[in-house]
Amino acid sequence: MVAATVAAGLATRLLVLVNPIAAPALQGPRAVGTAIAIGYYRAGAVLPKPLGLGLLRNPAIVRVMSLAMVKSHDRDLRRWVHDQHDRYFSAFANRTSVLEAFRTSVTHDVSEYADRIGVPVLMIAAERDDITAVPEQRALAARLPDAELVVVPDVGHLVHYETPGAAASAVLRRMADAPKRGRKGGPSGTKRAPRSSAAADGAAS
């Protein structure tokens, strides 16, 4: 986890977190869903290899996951996102690594390291993220000494697919501003990314 590495002392002038896991996934309203997902990956890892791989690579399960996460109503973009998941979601090295990666992602979150992160932070969050809600992102930003939270509207956890243009614009702007903010410091704040179809067009190209 990049946040843990920076908290441990990695020198950087700017830490960028896109849809960070800002709160424990094993607590609160997501606990049941997280436990079910852990059971799914654990079954895929312990079942006999043909059965385990068949479960983890089941096209129907991959498609249900993709349908649940994509928020755009653009048919071409939705088709492209589903195709990306069909091609790459099951392209893992081995079953054990998938279970370990998922377990790590749900048993640790950025809030664990917030008090040890002293560098400027840009947080890019999604307005409709089903994994970490905006209030939790705001709570995390408030704990960081120099954090800016940009909320991208009308998108869920798939910012990198659905609105890469909005995310990239925020990163480029903040990178240009990082040296000045590093010298002066500044209060935490929240900005709302502009609504634009250009982000979707960039994702589909």
Side-chain angles (χ1 to χ4, degrees):
M1 182 186 292
V2 65
T5 304
V6 172
L10 176 69
T12 179
R13 65 188 179 99
L14 176 65
L15 172 61
V16 178
L17 302 173
V18 180
N19 269 349
I21 308 300
L26 292 173
Q27 300 175 16
R30 294 180 301 278
V32 173
T34 300
I36 292 173
I38 291 176
Y40 163 73
Y41 284 107
R42 182 179 292 125
V46 302
L47 285 171
K49 189 173 182 178
L51 293 177
L53 288 176
L55 177 65
L56 293 173
R57 290 174 171 162
N58 186 287
I61 294 176
V62 173
R63 180 51 57 91
V64 168
M65 175 279 303
S66 189
L67 287 168
M69 297 185 76
V70 68
K71 305 300 183 185
S72 173
H73 297 293
D74 184 296
R75 290 185 178 181
D76 290 337
L77 178 57
R78 291 177 66 90
R79 188 180 301 113
W80 180 77
V81 171
H82 296 328
D83 177 70
Q84 293 295 294
H85 285 146
D86 290 344
R87 289 172 182 265
Y88 303 115
F89 191 79
S90 301
F92 44 81
N94 57 67
R95 298 180 295 161
T96 302
S97 67
V98 173
L99 174 61
E100 291 175 350
F102 181 78
R103 183 180 289 150
T104 298
S105 73
V106 298
T107 55
H108 297 279
D109 63 89
V110 180
S111 67
E112 294 178 46
Y113 311 100
D115 296 336
R116 289 181 283 145
I117 297 175
V119 302
V121 179
L122 171 62
M123 296 172 54
I124 300 175
E127 183 180 45
R128 299 172 62 192
D129 189 2
D130 297 319
I131 296 177
T132 303
V134 172
E136 294 170 327
Q137 302 287 11
R138 289 198 179 105
L140 173 61
R143 292 182 55 189
L144 298 165
D146 182 6
E148 176 189 348
L149 173 61
V150 174
V151 178
V152 183
D154 300 327
V155 68
H157 199 67
L158 303 181
V159 168
H160 54 295
Y161 280 148
E162 297 188 69
T163 56
S169 294
V171 172
L172 291 173
R173 173 186 53 76
R174 186 60 191 267
M175 285 180 66
D177 192 41
K180 292 182 289 185
R181 293 181 66 93
R183 288 194 297 269
K184 298 179 181 179
S188 298
T190 302
K191 292 188 178 182
R192 187 175 178 85
R195 298 175 185 271
S196 172
S197 60
D201 293 340
S205 60

